[in-house]
Amino acid sequence: MLEYMNKKFRVVFLDSAKTFLEELDEKSRNKILYNIWKSTDINDNELFKKLENEIWEFRTLYNKVYYRLFAFWDKTNSNDTVVITTHGIIKKTDKILKAEIEKSEKLRIQYFNEKSK
């Protein structure tokens, strides 16, 4: 728990992000999780980058494959800053599809609608 105290935020995975990670091989999954953990300590656009509006991405390049986990911030509790990961994709190039950003935005809206109930 002391280690978390020094982190800038904590990360929560929605079901679709968990499923994405579970379907990867162990080495790729471990590299992605390591990069996510590392991004909670340091500011590095190669690891965690704003894409558009409220949508961000965790980025990992491993064995010439780009792994992307889309995310957004939940700062509704001033004592607990959370980054919510929505889903992930594997890309052969660095370019992100607009449809993936839109999917993440829909999940963000759904998350806050459910949270406010």
Side-chain angles (χ1 to χ4, degrees), residues 104-116:
S104 192
E105 178 62 24
K106 286 178 186 174
L107 290 167
R108 185 185 77 80
I109 292 167
Q110 179 182 352
Y111 168 86
F112 283 112
N113 284 342
E114 289 176 10
K115 187 175 181 174
S116 68

Side-chain angles (χ1 to χ4, degrees), residues 24-71:
L24 298 174
D25 65 273
E26 185 178 359
K27 287 184 179 184
S28 298
R29 180 176 47 251
N30 287 344
K31 179 66 174 177
I32 293 165
L33 292 173
Y34 171 77
N35 281 351
I36 290 172
W37 175 81
K38 190 175 172 184
S39 71
T40 64
D41 274 332
I42 62 170
N43 292 332
D44 184 344
N45 279 345
E46 292 300 313
L47 298 176
F48 188 51
K49 175 182 174 183
K50 185 171 186 175
L51 293 176
E52 205 173 279
N53 299 323
E54 303 298 321
I55 305 304
W56 291 65
E57 69 172 346
F58 289 104
R59 303 159 45 109
T60 298
L61 174 59
Y62 181 68
N63 284 340
K64 299 181 183 177
V65 177
Y66 293 94
Y67 297 91
R68 302 287 192 254
L69 278 166
F70 296 88

Side-chain angles (χ1 to χ4, degrees), residues 12-18 55-56 69-72 84-88 100 103-105 107-108:
V12 173
F13 299 87
L14 296 183
D15 288 341
S16 52
K18 288 179 191 175
I55 305 304
W56 291 65
L69 278 166
F70 296 88
F72 60 88
I84 310 294
T85 59
T86 59
H87 69 290
E100 299 298 340
K103 179 179 179 179
S104 192
E105 178 62 24
L107 290 167
R108 185 185 77 80

